[in-house]
Amino acid sequence: QVGAYFAMMVIFSDTRELLESVDKERLRQIVNSLKNFKSDLWARFLVQTCHEGDQPIRKNQNLLTELLLIDSPELIFRTVISDDDVMLTSLGDDTQANVSEFSVAKLVEQIPDEDAL
């Protein structure tokens, strides 16, 4: 699967016609798969569909904005900065059981010291 991913990234990265041909349904499938299986590879591919080099693909940017912020807000995290921490909180409906909140400071505490490695 990883080999197919890299081949797809190479093909799409320099082909504006392919990037512009990606339709809403295909982007929706990828976004929906991210709900069940968090994958940085698919997230990177979604980013790739939004630009060719330094030129934006506005159609894809607009479609992804709609699919993520309106249809799937649970995939987006709100950043809240306090005096001593940064909290990442899911934008999903607070009544959902899968609403997530992460303390960046607590995550950093879990990183082992170089000496321990």
Side-chain angles (χ1 to χ4, degrees), residues 1 6 15 20 31 33 36 39 42 47 61 75 85 91 96 100 109-110 112:
Q1 259 188 0
F6 286 110
T15 311
E20 290 176 341
V31 168
S33 72
N36 299 318
S39 167
W42 280 119
V47 169
Q61 291 173 347
L75 293 174
D85 202 358
L91 290 180
Q96 294 177 352
S100 301
E109 287 174 5
Q110 296 178 15

Side-chain angles (χ1 to χ4, degrees), residues 35 67-77 90-93:
K35 292 178 184 179
L67 289 169
L68 290 171
L69 296 179
I70 296 171
D71 296 349
S72 305
E74 68 275 13
L75 293 174
I76 305 297
F77 286 91
S90 171
L91 290 180
D93 180 0

Side-chain angles (χ1 to χ4, degrees), residues 17-96:
E17 286 181 35
L18 277 177
L19 291 169
E20 290 176 341
S21 72
V22 175
D23 66 348
K24 184 175 184 176
E25 192 52 41
R26 182 62 186 140
L27 292 175
R28 183 188 312 280
Q29 289 172 350
I30 296 170
V31 168
N32 286 339
S33 72
L34 286 172
K35 292 178 184 179
N36 299 318
F37 178 72
K38 305 295 188 273
S39 167
D40 66 317
L41 297 179
W42 280 119
R44 289 180 199 178
F45 179 73
L46 289 175
V47 169
Q48 181 64 47
T49 66
C50 289
H51 66 91
E52 180 204 13
D54 61 352
Q55 296 299 309
I57 310 288
R58 297 205 191 283
K59 176 192 81 121
N60 293 353
Q61 291 173 347
N62 292 334
L63 287 173
L64 276 175
T65 298
E66 178 185 334
L67 289 169
L68 290 171
L69 296 179
I70 296 171
D71 296 349
S72 305
E74 68 275 13
L75 293 174
I76 305 297
F77 286 91
R78 173 181 38 232
T79 304
V80 179
I81 301 173
S82 65
D83 291 340
D84 61 345
D85 202 358
V86 176
M87 300 295 289
L88 302 176
T89 307
S90 171
L91 290 180
D93 180 0
D94 289 338
T95 62
Q96 294 177 352

